[in-house]
Amino acid sequence: MRRSGALIDALLLIGLVAGAAWLLQPETVVTGMASAVDGDSLRLDGKDIRLAGIDAPELHQTCLRDGQRSYPCGEVARKALSELIAGRLVTCRLGARDRYRRRLATCEAAGEDVGAALVKKGYALAYGRYQREESAARDKRLELWSGSFEQPSQWRRTHSDPRGS
């Protein structure tokens, strides 16, 4: 009994040390010219990166505005991201990977938080961050908030989108 207790203690200690080492590892930062994949994903330095804390309409998703007029909100969101990063050096602080193996990251272009800008302008929804920016966009009825739309997460469930971006 005593031996198994010591083994459990040793395993817990190893787990704590490994966890601490993971938390203390240096942050990975990549900088360069990026391209928009969709409204919340970009490609930088050969890496597929998902902007952490936001969720944008899927590339083929449509939304409604102006008395139920349909528009390609997924393409509009990608264009907004593309314009935010066009010709600018983009710096991303990489974190964990999502279930599609993309790196989750907070990215800046010209000193501006790209995810915050997309949410603030109404092109994306807050997803764990940026609630204040979403509230302001909703109050001003910007982009997505100017009409009606299906939550991107719900749209992915009802459409076969293998990327889940």
Side-chain angles (χ1 to χ4, degrees), residues 58-134:
E58 292 302 316
L59 196 53
H60 301 292
Q61 186 173 346
T62 58
C63 299
L64 300 173
R65 70 170 151 203
D66 300 332
Q68 306 302 309
R69 185 176 55 90
S70 178
Y71 76 102
C73 56
E75 290 177 22
V76 169
R78 178 174 62 176
K79 183 177 181 201
L81 173 56
S82 185
E83 289 173 357
L84 273 171
I85 63 176
R88 295 180 176 92
L89 216 50
V90 177
T91 299
C92 295
R93 286 163 187 72
L94 304 177
R97 292 185 184 273
D98 68 7
R99 65 182 181 184
Y100 300 98
R101 306 291 302 148
R102 295 172 298 187
R103 297 298 297 263
L104 294 170
T106 302
C107 300
E108 291 183 0
E112 182 176 29
D113 182 320
V114 174
L118 290 168
V119 173
K120 183 179 180 180
K121 295 174 182 181
Y123 295 107
L125 308 175
Y127 189 73
R129 297 182 193 174
Y130 311 119
Q131 278 75 24
R132 188 174 50 216
E133 289 85 351
E134 182 179 291

Side-chain angles (χ1 to χ4, degrees), residues 40 55-64 70-77 123 125 144 148-159 161 165:
D40 55 20
D55 197 12
E58 292 302 316
L59 196 53
H60 301 292
Q61 186 173 346
T62 58
C63 299
L64 300 173
S70 178
Y71 76 102
C73 56
E75 290 177 22
V76 169
Y123 295 107
L125 308 175
L144 290 170
S148 62
F149 60 92
E150 188 173 10
Q151 293 282 328
S153 58
Q154 180 61 38
W155 192 92
R156 285 189 294 274
R157 280 193 285 277
T158 58
H159 296 78
D161 180 20
S165 53

Side-chain angles (χ1 to χ4, degrees), residues 41-58:
S41 303
L42 51 88
R43 190 161 292 117
L44 172 63
D45 194 30
K47 295 171 178 55
D48 286 334
I49 297 172
R50 168 83 190 270
L51 295 170
I54 73 170
D55 197 12
E58 292 302 316

